Amino acid sequence: MITFQEKKVAVLMTCHNRKEKTLRCLRSLEEAAGAAQVFLTDDGCTDGTAEAIANDFSGKDIRIVKGDGNLYWAGGMRLAWQTARESGQWDYYLLLNDDTVLQSDAFETLFSTEDYCRDKFGREGIVSGITCDPEDPSRVTYGGEVFISRLTCRRRMLGPSEEPQLCDWTHANILLVPHKVVEEHGILYRGYIHGQADLDYGYRARRRGIPVVVTPKACGSCAFDHPDIDGIEERLCAMTLKERRDYLNHPLHSDADYLTMIRRCMPAKYPLTWLFRKMNLYTPRLYYWLNKKR
């Protein structure tokens, strides 16, 4: 099995004003991998994240790339990835969310899963590391999903199993991408501002014939930080039309990113999805009633 020390791995991160989480993530990376080359986008942090990293990780291979505060997740990760590619030749790229804490055997699990791809499918594959809830290790929070129905886009999260499993959607909380896959498939699509870029990356890789799998066990912990559908519904319905428009145009919950993903990945669904998103703006009660009927 390939080990971390035998391969050149560029770890890619982006951060914005989550100093303690970012530091905790970097500490877990150091414990799991020892010395690691990190490319981290500081996207306009004002909480002293960069200074704290320089202090706590003095002498470590952490290259901080400055953003302007408007890159958000997708833009920050693209900048880190582009910087890493321009800096040298890497065997693997590891996309790592700064709110994720790696387990000590994370790299052993990731590389053994990549070995599985070579043995099972005869080629390199993308590996998504399962994460669990920090308070409840039995609850999977991120990793990969498979479709229950492609028509309605309903999906289920994959959990631990005896061997790696192919997935349709992949999350990039812990995502290992071999260099050869990047040469074939590229990096995150530049049309995304914040969200959906990881879903697009894995889905379109599968369509190219690149295996995308989740690890058979958890590689780390990460709290699920997305509000449930009922909470979003009540929040949107309480807003004025202008407030809803501003909310849905904000990069953190952007209609634009979601519609870009549908257009690129499921173009036949785009007209209906566009209509439904307009309903979410103008008649959110009707939108969520129909959404629950799927």
Side-chain angles (χ1 to χ4, degrees):
M1 185 189 75
I2 299 168
T3 65
F4 183 89
Q5 290 74 21
E6 293 172 330
K7 292 293 181 180
K8 293 182 63 179
V9 182
V11 180
L12 314 175
M13 298 175 61
T14 188
C15 65
H16 177 74
N17 288 346
R18 300 201 294 191
K19 179 171 66 176
E20 293 308 319
K21 289 183 177 180
T22 303
L23 292 173
R24 186 166 63 245
C25 176
L26 287 169
R27 292 186 194 109
S28 75
L29 173 64
E30 188 173 38
E31 291 173 7
Q37 175 66 65
V38 179
F39 294 85
L40 185 148
T41 299
D42 172 2
D43 190 26
C45 291
T46 58
D47 64 348
T49 298
E51 293 79 6
I53 292 172
N55 181 65
D56 290 10
F57 297 91
S58 176
K60 304 297 183 181
D61 290 327
I62 300 177
R63 178 171 174 183
I64 296 178
V65 188
K66 289 293 185 180
D68 61 3
N70 295 300
L71 293 176
Y72 295 91
W73 183 83
M77 292 301 285
R78 277 196 306 272
L79 178 58
W81 207 336
Q82 289 164 353
T83 303
R85 292 186 77 187
E86 291 167 1
S87 72
Q89 186 74 24
W90 304 94
D91 299 311
Y92 293 90
Y93 298 92
L94 180 75
L95 283 68
L96 180 62
N97 265 22
D98 73 331
D99 59 349
T100 299
V101 175
L102 291 170
Q103 293 186 354
S104 59
D105 63 349
F107 285 97
E108 178 181 344
T109 303
L110 289 165
F111 283 125
S112 64
T113 304
E114 219 278 307
D115 286 342
Y116 171 90
C117 284
R118 296 170 188 270
D119 294 340
K120 180 76 172 181
F121 305 108
R123 61 157 302 159
E124 298 80 4
I126 297 171
V127 178
S128 182
I130 289 176
T131 64
C132 58
D133 189 291
E135 304 299 324
D136 180 7
S138 67
R139 182 190 174 212
V140 173
T141 51
Y142 298 100
E145 300 173 83
V146 292
F147 284 113
I148 298 171
S149 167
R150 289 183 181 271
L151 180 63
T152 63
C153 233
R154 290 177 61 229
R155 309 178 300 276
R156 67 176 177 87
M157 187 79 74
L158 293 171
S161 61
E162 292 186 358
E163 63 180 25
Q165 304 170 81
L166 283 167
C167 63
D168 297 310
W169 286 140
T170 185
H171 310 131
N173 297 66
I174 305 172
L175 193 70
L176 185 70
V177 186
H179 167 75
K180 290 183 179 179
V181 169
V182 176
E183 290 297 294
E184 178 181 353
H185 189 48
I187 66 172
L188 300 176
Y189 176 58
R190 67 183 180 278
Y192 293 105
I193 301 169
H194 179 65
Q196 313 298 327
D198 48 353
L199 304 184
D200 177 299
Y201 193 77
Y203 185 85
R204 289 172 66 86
R206 282 290 307 275
R207 293 185 67 179
R208 284 177 176 263
I210 299 168
V212 182
V213 300
V214 295
T215 53
K217 57 183 266 188
C219 290
S221 62
C222 183
F224 187 82
D225 59 359
H226 299 282
D228 62 47
I229 190 170
D230 292 329
I232 298 173
E233 177 183 358
E234 292 307 314
R235 185 174 180 183
L236 282 175
C237 290
M239 294 178 183
T240 65
L241 176 59
K242 181 181 183 305
E243 288 171 337
R244 275 199 303 276
R245 182 177 286 110
D246 290 343
Y247 179 88
L248 295 173
N249 283 336
H250 192 282
L252 291 181
H253 12 77
S254 168
D255 268 353
D257 279 346
Y258 185 76
L259 288 171
T260 296
M261 184 271 292
I262 294 295
R263 175 177 55 80
R264 282 171 51 82
C265 298
M266 303 173 182
K269 290 175 60 67
Y270 183 82
L272 187 60
T273 302
W274 181 89
L275 177 62
F276 265 65
R277 286 288 158 159
K278 290 302 179 184
M279 290 173 58
N280 191 27
L281 173 62
Y282 292 106
T283 57
R285 289 287 184 199
L286 178 59
Y287 168 81
Y288 283 102
W289 182 81
L290 291 171
N291 196 52
K292 292 172 185 177
K293 296 293 182 182
R294 290 194 308 169

